[in-house]
Amino acid sequence: MLASQAETRSGLRQQRCARGVVSGLVAPLRRAAQRPGVLSGGAQLRGMRLRASSSAAAAASSGGGDEPAKEQVAPAPAPEAAATATPAAEEGVSYTPDFIRRRLLVFVGIVIGYSSYYLTRNSLTYTAPVMVADPTLHMDITQIGAMTSIFPIAYGMSKFVSGVLGAKFSPSVLLAGGLMATAAVNIAFGFGTSLAWFCFFWALNGTLQGVGGPCCARILTTWFAGKERGTYWGMWNIAHNLGGFAAPLVAGGFAKAMGWKWGMWAPGIIGLVVGAFVLLACKDKPEDLGFPPVEPTDKAPKKKDEKPKADIWGSLVNSVLKNPFIWGMALTYFFIYVVRQGVTSWFVFYLIKEKGIEDAAQAAVRVSGLELGGLVGSLIAGRLSDGLIRNAAGKGGNVGKRVTVVMWYTVGIAAALLAFQALPAAVPAAIQWFNVFMIGFFLYGPQMLIGLCGAELVGPDSVGASEGFLGWIAYLGAANAGIPLSIIVKEYGWNAYFSTLVGACALAILLLSPMTKLRSYVQREAAKKERLAKAE
């Protein structure tokens, strides 16, 4: 009997010892799950839980305890660790320093890369005056107009086609390859002497330019989770402003100092160098480098008898063209681009004709605040939409929150346009500049967020197709801001011009009003999974 009691006490001591070992392993795991920057995701957590369980089992067995004691102690920490750590991993808030550094490099790559697309896109704009002044080319402004008219047609179709076909190829390779190709086209353009040569290569440039945007969208949606994506999308959107700012400095500066050929060659050389950097820096998704996805979908493994994925056309039709909300976004984009192109194309003329500004240079100074306002507005729009999503704590639709911000901003566009029209001609230039700054602030927020909404509405495989389709419709809107608006101004005056732009804002708000509760693709998949779990 004494031997039995001693054996019982020994067994209890072994169990307490094993529990102590397990507690010592679980406590740091709990603390680590609560600290950002420690865990990289669900895969690493599962590995840590397995090691904790195996260590506890080994500790219990080494003390000479029997098998039932091991079965009771070893599995205990797994549910606790899972309950503590899994939410952090699913929310995408716990990233390792290695992941953060690598993701930053990818982000810098797509920002600099897309900025360089704008550099090779706008090079002709600032080289053309020097070309017209070159007596050896025998060119006039009409021939320059012919070249610039070809570009938007090729570019709009390119965004659509490259967005659809690009879904089957690596976005990082396409982003870098497209940039180097358009850079090579700029260089080839500089070797020409005839209008046919110039028109061919500038149309080719427009065709290649459409690759950049959809590829950046695909990379952004895989490296950044929904609750932070708006902020980073807004920061990426400043690539438009950076490229637009650099183009006159690089292309115009080299053309003036070294001749028109260098106005094309210098952007081309920069594009080749940046393209090589993008190829090395960017990766399609975190899994390519061994990191877990930022938004795990927990998809079941494919069965042998499972049907293959739809082809390119089927993916476009089912995920994009059959989605009425994508069409709503596209038509909204159309009207936003009518306003954007209408402002950039006609404000200088309006200031000269209606406000008594003496020359185009003074008018351009007053309009120069548009891009700066757009930069600030894009950043704040992204942050604001992310804040609404975080405050909702998973309730409501993430896309709908971003749509709400777009509607607020669109109201701001209309108000700023009416204020600009109402300003007296004698008002100081600083006030006109600030008014244009606010128009840019409100205008570029929707221009940025509508693309993000389209990317989040569809699955990862259809992001490129969605962005390409939206971009195509948007540039149809930009085309309608040219000749149609010029006819309106000529036949009905500037009051009708402003009424048209404000009317476009009103139609955009009307299209967006049914979409304020839209859920993202990730939210819909999570809800579907939850319904299936309840059904089982």
Side-chain angles (χ1 to χ4, degrees):
M1 181 175 178
L2 291 174
S4 175
Q5 292 175 349
E7 184 177 351
T8 300
R9 286 194 297 271
S10 175
L12 290 173
R13 283 195 300 271
Q14 291 166 2
Q15 291 183 29
R16 284 196 296 270
C17 179
R19 289 192 184 99
V21 172
V22 171
S23 299
L25 288 168
V26 172
L29 189 58
R30 286 178 180 158
R31 292 192 296 271
Q34 295 168 356
R35 291 197 309 266
V38 176
L39 302 176
S40 61
Q44 186 172 347
L45 290 171
R46 286 193 293 271
M48 294 178 70
R49 291 200 298 271
L50 288 174
R51 289 195 295 272
S53 299
S54 61
S55 299
S61 61
S62 64
D66 52 6
E67 290 297 320
K70 287 190 293 182
E71 291 176 359
Q72 292 173 0
V73 174
E80 294 177 2
T84 302
T86 301
E90 289 177 353
E91 290 173 4
V93 296
S94 296
Y95 299 139
T96 62
D98 286 343
F99 176 81
I100 293 172
R101 284 192 293 268
R102 197 63 180 82
R103 188 172 72 163
L104 178 61
L105 182 61
V106 172
F107 184 73
V108 170
I110 62 175
V111 170
I112 296 178
Y114 200 59
S115 298
S116 299
Y117 271 90
Y118 263 72
L119 184 62
T120 58
R121 181 184 310 175
N122 295 331
S123 53
L124 179 61
T125 301
Y126 302 100
T127 302
V130 185
M131 294 176 67
V132 172
D134 189 339
T136 63
L137 291 178
H138 307 290
M139 297 191 71
D140 59 23
I141 193 170
T142 304
Q143 293 172 314
I144 298 295
M147 287 186 277
T148 56
S149 296
I150 294 172
F151 184 91
I153 299 172
Y155 179 56
M157 287 301 300
S158 169
K159 290 199 78 168
F160 180 50
V161 174
S162 64
V164 175
L165 298 180
K168 297 297 181 182
F169 302 95
S170 164
S172 57
V173 173
L174 276 179
L175 179 65
L179 176 56
M180 289 189 281
T182 187
V185 166
N186 270 250
I187 293 173
F189 186 100
F191 286 102
T193 56
S194 66
L195 180 62
W197 178 280
F198 295 144
C199 286
F200 171 77
F201 279 101
W202 205 240
L204 182 58
N205 188 28
T207 304
L208 293 168
Q209 284 284 334
V211 174
C215 289
C216 291
R218 290 172 61 193
I219 294 171
L220 270 166
T221 52
T222 56
W223 279 92
F224 297 92
K227 292 184 178 181
E228 59 184 351
R229 192 175 295 140
T231 299
Y232 285 94
W233 196 289
M235 289 193 291
W236 165 76
N237 199 63
I238 69 172
H240 300 75
N241 311 98
L242 293 176
F245 176 77
L249 299 178
V250 176
F254 273 93
K256 183 177 180 180
M258 304 177 67
W260 72 267
K261 292 179 181 292
W262 276 99
M264 304 301 296
W265 289 342
I269 294 170
I270 293 173
L272 289 175
V273 174
V274 174
F277 167 74
V278 170
L279 190 63
L280 296 174
C282 293
K283 298 296 179 183
D284 298 349
K285 52 187 180 296
E287 298 94 302
D288 293 342
L289 295 172
F291 299 109
V294 294
E295 285 181 331
T297 55
D298 293 330
K299 291 184 179 179
K302 184 183 288 187
K303 299 177 181 178
K304 291 183 179 180
D305 57 347
E306 187 176 344
K307 293 181 180 180
K309 290 183 179 180
D311 57 10
I312 293 175
W313 175 250
S315 177
L316 170 67
V317 171
N318 295 328
S319 298
V320 179
L321 298 183
K322 285 187 176 181
N323 190 330
F325 298 114
I326 291 291
W327 279 96
M329 294 287 179
L331 292 175
T332 303
Y333 229 2
F334 178 93
F335 291 116
I336 292 296
Y337 263 74
V338 167
V339 179
R340 176 187 170 185
Q341 195 66 30
V343 168
T344 56
S345 298
W346 298 106
F347 261 29
V348 171
F349 289 96
Y350 171 73
L351 288 171
I352 294 173
K353 299 291 185 181
E354 292 294 306
K355 299 300 183 181
I357 305 302
E358 294 181 0
D359 55 40
Q362 292 184 28
V365 170
R366 287 165 168 79
V367 180
S368 63
L370 188 74
E371 291 291 331
L372 182 58
L375 187 153
V376 177
S378 297
L379 293 175
I380 293 179
R383 295 281 296 179
L384 187 58
S385 66
D386 280 352
L388 290 178
I389 292 172
R390 283 193 296 269
N391 292 336
K395 298 179 181 178
N398 287 357
V399 174
K401 298 291 188 298
R402 302 199 198 279
V403 167
T404 301
V405 176
V406 173
M407 294 175 70
W408 293 345
Y409 266 64
T410 306
V411 172
I413 297 171
L417 286 170
L418 293 174
F420 188 73
Q421 183 187 13
L423 284 177
V427 75
I431 295 178
Q432 288 182 333
W433 183 92
F434 180 74
N435 199 156
V436 174
F437 174 93
M438 293 308 299
I439 292 173
F441 178 95
F442 289 118
L443 187 56
Y444 278 81
Q447 182 262 330
M448 180 270 294
L449 281 180
I450 292 172
L452 175 55
C453 290
E456 291 185 328
L457 270 176
V458 300
D461 295 333
S462 302
V463 169
S466 173
E467 293 302 292
F469 178 69
L470 290 175
W472 176 47
I473 300 296
Y475 272 84
L476 289 179
N480 277 274
I483 294 177
L485 274 182
S486 67
I487 294 174
I488 288 173
V489 171
K490 184 177 180 180
E491 297 294 330
Y492 304 102
W494 289 102
N495 287 337
Y497 161 82
F498 278 98
S499 297
T500 302
L501 297 187
V502 172
C505 293
L507 289 172
I509 293 172
L510 185 64
L511 286 166
L512 292 171
S513 56
M515 307 186 204
T516 55
K517 297 187 183 299
L518 276 182
R519 295 183 298 172
S520 67
Y521 172 82
V522 172
Q523 285 183 305
R524 297 197 305 273
E525 289 297 306
K528 187 188 300 183
K529 182 180 176 182
E530 186 177 350
R531 286 195 302 270
L532 291 174
K534 288 181 178 178
E536 292 176 356

